[in-house]
């Protein structure tokens, strides 16, 4: 198919929903509110290739400030693959993010392809699934309120390579479950749980100390039958805690970067594979 019959443009909110549905079809198990919250993070950061009125491929190329961006939701419609639509949205996404440091979470079968385009592996991220039989959400934890959002975003910036206030504004609100560790009036950790099409995902988990990360996970998982948490391998002791608690490893990706590696330390759990 020639590029003359293809249109590349930003996605409208309903089209982001369609892209999320494609992700569900690929087995990615998105959150129930991901489409709206992802779009709010960077409304111009979702790009599609269209043939006539039909979307053939899509990608998220979300800018977090002037220095960092993230690639995700890179999907072509199965019946329209092999026609250059995926390559077209990839090029559009990379052009949009320009000279920023760009991150992505690459599955094993695509990592060689990403390396050929200048991405290098920083660390592995593994999805752990399980449940806690006990645990209470109020065991030394506080519910995150709107008044805490600015302080939470400041803490988040210590562990995420770019500012993401628009993303966090929605991510921290109900019906998501957001909890914080507060001592001496300071927020020293926070975490979020969101309902997905199957079970719940917990992420991010950001904390200054591993003990607080453990407490956040237990509090967020309280009362939930199936919990998924995406954990960088850099969180060694936290991984040991998950395994000792009966969580099992499954889906694995590699966090990869192009144009440099961020100086921020990874969190104990990432917010999402799709937007970082």
């Amino acid at each position: 198919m020639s590029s003359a019959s293809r249109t590349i443009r930003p996605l409208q909110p309903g089209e982001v929903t369609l892209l999320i549905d494609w992700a569900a079809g690929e087995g990615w198990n998105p959150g129930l509110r991901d489409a709206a919250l992802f779009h709010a993070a960077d409304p111009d950061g979702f790009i599609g290739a269209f043939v006539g009125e039909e979307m053939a491929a899509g990608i998220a190329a979300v800018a977090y400030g002037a220095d960092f961006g993230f690639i995700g939701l890179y999907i072509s419609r199965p019946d329209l693959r092999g026609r250059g639509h995926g390559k077209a949205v990839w090029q559009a996404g990379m052009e949009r993010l320009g000279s920023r440091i760009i991150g992505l979470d690459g599955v094993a079968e695509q990592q060689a392809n990403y390396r050929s385009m200048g991405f290098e592996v920083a660390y592995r991220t593994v999805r752990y699934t399980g449940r806690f039989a006990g645990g209470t959400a109020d065991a030394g934890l506080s519910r995150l309120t709107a008044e805490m959002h600015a302080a939470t975003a400041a803490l988040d910036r210590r562990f995420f390579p770019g500012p993401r206030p628009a993303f966090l504004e929605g991510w921290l609100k109900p019906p998501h479950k957001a909890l914080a560790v507060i001592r001496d009036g300071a927020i020293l950790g926070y975490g979020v749980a969101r309902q997905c099409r199957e079970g719940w995902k917990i992420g991010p988990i950001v904390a200054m100390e591993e003990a607080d990360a453990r407490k956040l996970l237990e509090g967020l998982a309280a009362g939930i039958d199936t919990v998924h948490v995406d954990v960088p391998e850099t969180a060694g002791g936290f991984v040991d805690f998950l395994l000792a608690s009966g969580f099992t490893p499954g889906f694995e990706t590699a966090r990869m970067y192009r144009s440099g590696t961020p100086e921020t330390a990874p969190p104990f759990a990432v917010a999402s594979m799709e937007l970082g």
Side-chain angles (χ1 to χ4, degrees), residues 64-69 99-102 161:
Y64 293 110
D67 299 319
F68 182 67
S99 62
R100 293 173 174 85
I101 294 175
I102 302 173

Side-chain angles (χ1 to χ4, degrees), residues 116-136:
S116 73
M117 293 182 281
F119 285 84
E120 297 292 339
V121 173
Y123 52 82
R124 295 182 311 130
T125 298
V126 179
R127 177 164 297 166
Y128 293 87
T129 300
R131 67 184 297 268
F132 284 105
T136 57

